[in-house]
Amino acid sequence: MPTEPISRLARAKLNLALHVTGQRADGYHLIESLVAFADFGDEITVAHSDEDSFVVSGHFASWVPIDGSNLVLAARDLVRKLLPGTNTPPVRIALNKRLPVASGVGGGSSDAAATIKALLALWGAQIDAEELARAAVSLGADLPMCLVGRPLVARGIGDEVEPLRSFPAVHAVLVNPGAQISTPEIFKALEKRDNAALPKWTEANDTFAVAQALADMRNDLQQAAMALCPAIGDVLDALRSNGAELARMSGSGATCFGLFDNFGPAVAAADVISKMQPGWFVEPCLIRGTD
Ligand code: ATP
């Protein structure tokens, strides 16, 4: 068992496209989503300790619960449950909350996935990937995709994950206007739930090709979210007028992403937008490719 603390990045999850294609009898919506992960996110650090503890720091610390309802603690308890008979001694878990909360970038699910990976490393334990993904759905439908953490297509209620063979790294800027959005409320507000399927992903080598392919796809939640939170429209305008090849909302919002053909233009756009709107969350990042 390692004695040093172990840290893992809980990457922002970006729904580059999200099609709502139906609804199950139990009310859950069926989706088809092209998902990728940023090199920016929360940080989870786990360390051996005399007793279990949990601390939260970072810009968005006050937005998350610190009791058992935090997905980090639910993830710790799940790992212990999946490792009966294995030595899983007390841990101190620290969460550096850098991602906006309830904002469509899957912060809670990504924190849970990073916690699972960090604890398995700390305890020197392994769980079969399929068994882990199946069990982790109990924490949220986005857990399997966050455990993969690479470009993928998700289907079903988001829990059926197919990693992509080839996807380029792409520069992006994430922008949130400071609004929290309730995912169930957005789904409830949808006027249409049987939209066209996600087109098959074909190879794309650079930002332009990715933006072109994404232009034929949609986020079917975007219109409903904009009706509830008009600031999303301002965010998309700001990204487009500052050079984004494509700008779209992620998940149920309100975080949007803009795609840029290089690091320089992304940083320049982020700079202009954050000066224009000092209250917004603005973060240039690299979307991780398959390489
Ligand atoms: P998704 O894109 O999967 O819908 P989201 O980005 O909209 O997710 P999260 O940031 O994951 O939403 O937060 C959803 C809810 O989960 C919040 O209301 C929050 O109180 C709760 N929550 C529990 N643990 C966490 C955590 N570690 N980080 C963020 N939210 C958490």
Side-chain angles (χ1 to χ4, degrees):
M1 245 186 229
T3 51
E4 295 299 309
I6 289 177
S7 293
R8 289 286 181 272
L9 181 64
R11 297 169 183 278
K13 168 222 68 172
L14 299 173
N15 299 93
L16 301 180
L18 197 169
H19 291 204
V20 178
T21 54
Q23 191 170 22
R24 295 196 318 202
D26 61 6
Y28 278 98
H29 288 84
L30 296 170
I31 63 159
E32 295 188 3
S33 183
L34 180 68
V35 179
F37 294 83
D39 67 351
F40 176 82
D42 297 336
E43 188 177 39
I44 295 284
T45 304
V46 300
H48 292 293
S49 183
D50 293 338
E51 57 179 5
D52 281 338
S53 64
F54 180 46
V55 288
V56 187
S57 62
H59 188 76
F60 292 101
S62 62
W63 298 57
V64 290
I66 49 166
D67 60 10
S69 67
N70 195 298
L71 286 166
V72 167
L73 298 185
R76 177 199 64 195
D77 296 346
L78 178 73
V79 177
R80 284 204 172 113
K81 201 173 113 191
L82 294 174
L83 291 172
T86 304
N87 186 22
T88 55
V91 282
R92 176 185 194 274
I93 306 182
L95 164 63
N96 182 0
K97 192 74 205 166
R98 296 189 285 225
L99 291 172
V101 174
S103 79
V105 292
S109 305
S110 205
D111 290 349
T115 302
I116 291 171
K117 288 180 180 175
L119 286 175
L120 289 176
L122 187 78
W123 289 331
Q126 284 184 341
I127 301 171
D128 170 73
E130 270 181 35
E131 182 198 347
L132 181 56
R134 243 191 333 268
V137 175
S138 64
L139 305 182
D142 283 356
L143 253 293
M145 65 172 88
C146 289
L147 284 166
V148 170
R150 289 173 172 279
L152 56 87
V153 171
R155 298 192 178 82
I157 58 168
D159 58 335
E160 296 166 22
V161 170
E162 180 196 338
L164 291 178
R165 271 213 303 249
S166 163
F167 194 90
V170 178
H171 292 281
V173 177
L174 310 183
V175 182
N176 184 292
Q180 275 193 310
I181 288 198
S182 147
T183 304
E185 214 175 306
I186 299 294
F187 274 106
K188 217 164 65 191
L190 286 181
E191 283 176 10
K192 195 167 178 296
R193 298 182 166 80
D194 56 349
N195 303 292
L198 192 72
K200 192 170 158 40
W201 182 254
T202 46
E203 305 261 311
N205 293 327
D206 58 18
T207 308
F208 298 113
V210 170
Q212 209 170 20
L214 289 181
D216 290 333
M217 306 180 190
R218 315 173 302 273
N219 181 340
D220 287 329
L221 305 180
Q222 190 168 300
Q223 215 182 333
M226 279 170 71
L228 284 171
C229 174
I232 292 169
D234 301 334
V235 168
L236 294 169
D237 286 346
L239 284 165
R240 288 180 189 127
S241 62
N242 282 286
E245 301 295 331
L246 178 123
R248 181 170 286 162
M249 190 181 85
S250 177
S252 54
T255 306
C256 299
F257 60 87
L259 302 184
F260 291 81
D261 66 348
N262 224 321
F263 178 67
V267 172
D271 207 41
V272 172
I273 296 171
S274 49
K275 285 201 175 98
M276 200 172 77
Q277 293 284 356
W280 287 5
F281 165 85
V282 182
E283 191 64 44
C285 64
L286 188 70
I287 297 177
R288 191 186 195 193
T290 42
D291 287 339

